[in-house]
Amino acid sequence: MTQEELVGLRSYIQKHALPFTDRFRIQQWEYPDGEEGSFFLQLPKAAAQSDLEAFGLLLLRLEFLEQELNWTKTEVEQAGTRILTTALSYMIDNGTCSPVEWKELLGRSSELTRGHLDIENDTGESRNLVLYDDWNLLQWFGVNSNDYYMYLWYTTA
């Protein structure tokens, strides 16, 4: 996935809605002091028609989680395009799209989440893309033979 593909996805969703699905598996952990947190979302490959569609669905679901919005078809239809366009615009302007080895991501992610999210079995030998790699944010998207997934670690400190 490239920055250009993200721009294309942003243009696409402004004219066409992504299909609604509730087939996500979600792991979430917030550190006790509230200054750090992590999400790991999975979507079965059968729930999306392409990598870009899966990416858009995972990013939208993640945004709904972060904003503590209800994931209902009505809510997604009313606010989804605006929320996803905003998230994609920020990602296009500030993110990176860099392939990375899963062992490196797994090691960094396990260290950041201190083992509170079980992601090793779901990411092994997969194709991954770092979206952000910053001092206060690590976000990546990946795919294996069964699932698409997105990981986010953040800190407000």
Side-chain angles (χ1 to χ4, degrees):
M1 188 177 314
T2 64
Q3 295 286 95
E4 292 78 24
E5 288 176 306
L6 295 180
V7 170
L9 178 60
R10 181 179 60 188
S11 296
Y12 177 83
I13 62 160
Q14 291 172 340
K15 297 176 182 128
H16 308 91
L18 291 174
F20 180 80
T21 184
D22 60 359
R23 295 179 58 192
F24 299 94
R25 291 185 307 276
I26 300 168
Q27 293 182 58
Q28 178 179 354
W29 199 74
E30 187 173 304
Y31 294 88
D33 60 10
E35 292 184 358
E36 292 179 69
S38 292
F39 295 94
F40 184 67
L41 290 77
Q42 294 171 271
L43 180 67
K45 284 184 86 172
Q49 294 183 16
S50 68
D51 290 357
L52 275 175
E53 183 177 277
F55 173 81
L57 288 167
L58 285 163
L59 183 59
L60 182 60
R61 185 66 182 101
L62 178 62
E63 289 295 317
F64 267 68
L65 284 167
E66 287 184 292
Q67 296 179 34
E68 299 180 353
L69 298 171
N70 292 323
W71 185 258
T72 65
K73 188 171 183 172
T74 301
E75 291 291 323
V76 171
E77 287 173 352
Q78 290 176 353
T81 299
R82 177 184 49 79
I83 289 170
L84 189 53
T85 300
T86 300
L88 282 168
S89 294
Y90 183 81
M91 190 171 287
I92 290 163
D93 293 342
N94 302 295
T96 61
C97 290
S98 305
V100 66
E101 291 295 321
W102 71 272
K103 288 181 183 179
E104 179 184 338
L105 279 176
L106 185 60
R108 289 192 61 212
S109 300
S110 293
E111 180 182 313
L112 290 168
T113 59
R114 298 171 183 96
H116 289 283
L117 298 182
D118 180 25
I119 62 176
E120 183 172 0
N121 293 331
D122 296 311
T123 60
E125 299 293 338
S126 57
R127 184 168 42 101
N128 299 290
L129 179 71
V130 168
L131 305 166
Y132 292 103
D133 187 4
D134 201 76
W135 71 271
N136 67 343
L137 181 66
L138 173 64
Q139 184 173 2
W140 46 272
F141 169 73
V143 61
N144 61 31
S145 58
N146 299 315
D147 297 306
Y148 292 102
Y149 48 85
M150 187 170 285
Y151 172 88
L152 174 70
W153 171 85
Y154 64 90
T155 180
T156 57

